[in-house]
């Protein structure tokens, strides 16, 4: 029965294709054009898998943007991790679970805007839009600066200063890995990600950020 079912399913996919894998690129291009970014070329940077389908978009004047496309079933891993944290009584240290993928992407984009207003975000949000077949697009600029592990240990005080800026405004990051921290030309430390961030964070979430950054900086330097 399993063999026959696999054969029939494979035959159907071969003949008619898989609708879930038909990425609505035209919708993403239209969403960017509404923000004044007229796409001239698209290039795949990372195929869809555990994370989103990541594309590099270039417009007619040479500007480059990062376009992330989230399929309708790509948030299950994050939901399971959040459920596990809740199960082990650590829900007070993490942001509330987003049951809607579109809301989760929208939350990340809005938190990036909030951090950008404080000059501690390494990207700028361009657009968030819902697309056909349950897909969601999130477009932003390229990250500014170089990775923290390439900047040298002299940048560590700047990282703590940037975290202090977030904490003074009651914002927790929630994912302070070295890959989410960059240092720009002026020496300022900037943050990316913000998928697990929270505005109006609790004291436990702020303390968790401190613990994460202690671990990140000591492991890196």
């Amino acid at each position: 029965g399993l063999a026959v079912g696999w054969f029939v399913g494979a035959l159907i996919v071969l003949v008619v294709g898989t609708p879930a894998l038909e990425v609505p690129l035209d919708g993403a291009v239209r969403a960017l054009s509404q923000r004044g970014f007229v796409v001239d070329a698209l290039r795949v940077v990372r195929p869809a898998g555990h994370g989103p389908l990541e594309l590099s978009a270039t417009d007619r004047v040479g500007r480059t943007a990062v376009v992330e496309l989230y399929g309708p079933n790509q948030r299950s891993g994050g939901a399971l991790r959040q459920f596990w944290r809740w199960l082990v009584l650590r829900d007070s240290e993490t942001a509330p679970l987003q049951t809607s993928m579109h809301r989760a992407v929208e939350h990340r984009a809005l938190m990036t805007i909030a951090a950008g207003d404080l000059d501690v975000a390494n990207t700028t949000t361009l657009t968030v839009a819902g697309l056909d077949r349950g897909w969601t697009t999130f477009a932003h600029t390229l990250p500014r600066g170089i990775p923290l592990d390439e900047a040298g240990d002299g940048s560590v005080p700047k990282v703590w200063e940037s975290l202090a800026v977030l904490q003074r405004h009651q914002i927790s990051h929630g994912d302070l890995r070295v890959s989410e921290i960059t240092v720009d030309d002026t020496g300022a430390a900037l943050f990316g990600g913000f998928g697990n961030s929270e505005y109006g964070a609790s004291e436990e979430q702020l303390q968790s950020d401190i613990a994460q950054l202690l671990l990140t900086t000591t492991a890196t330097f």
Side-chain angles (χ1 to χ4, degrees):
L2 289 175
V4 172
W6 181 89
F7 175 77
V8 173
L11 183 62
I12 292 174
V13 169
L14 180 64
V15 174
V16 303
T18 305
L21 297 181
E22 294 177 5
V23 182
L25 293 178
D26 53 342
V29 169
R30 283 196 299 270
L32 278 170
S33 65
Q34 292 174 357
R35 295 300 307 271
F37 192 99
V38 181
V39 177
D40 188 61
L42 284 171
R43 178 176 59 87
V44 176
V45 177
R46 183 181 61 189
H50 294 293
L53 169 62
E54 186 175 323
L55 305 169
S56 175
T58 307
D59 69 356
R60 297 173 182 174
V61 297
R63 295 180 299 174
T64 302
V66 177
V67 181
E68 300 178 5
L69 291 168
Y70 294 83
N73 300 312
Q74 287 181 317
R75 291 292 298 178
S76 59
L80 288 175
R81 284 194 298 271
Q82 295 245 11
F83 176 75
W84 171 252
R85 290 174 177 174
W86 172 83
L87 192 64
V88 296
L89 306 179
R90 295 186 59 187
D91 58 316
S92 61
E93 300 177 15
T94 60
L97 175 63
Q98 297 281 353
T99 56
S100 166
M101 183 203 62
H102 181 82
R103 293 300 182 195
V105 177
E106 181 184 60
H107 176 79
R108 176 186 167 191
L110 291 173
M111 292 304 300
T112 302
I113 293 174
D117 289 342
L118 303 176
D119 295 324
V120 291
N122 62 8
T123 62
T124 301
T125 297
L126 295 178
T127 186
V128 173
L131 307 177
D132 295 337
R133 294 183 291 276
W135 285 78
T136 301
T137 182
F138 171 43
H140 57 84
T141 58
L142 289 172
R144 289 185 290 134
I146 60 175
L148 177 63
D149 53 356
E150 299 178 11
D153 55 5
S155 59
V156 173
K158 295 294 184 180
V159 179
W160 286 101
E161 291 175 10
S162 295
L163 180 63
V165 172
L166 287 180
Q167 299 217 341
R168 280 198 300 270
H169 291 82
Q170 207 71 15
I171 296 175
S172 66
H173 188 282
D175 191 20
L176 288 172
R177 295 173 294 171
V178 67
S179 59
E180 302 292 359
I181 306 172
T182 59
V183 179
D184 66 6
D185 297 336
T186 66
L190 307 172
F191 301 118
F194 294 102
N196 297 310
S197 61
E198 187 69 11
Y199 190 77
S202 66
E203 185 64 25
E204 289 84 358
Q205 291 170 327
L206 298 179
Q207 293 292 334
S208 179
D209 269 4
I210 294 174
Q212 288 181 27
L213 192 56
L214 279 170
L215 182 60
T216 295
T217 52
T218 53
T220 305
F221 303 107

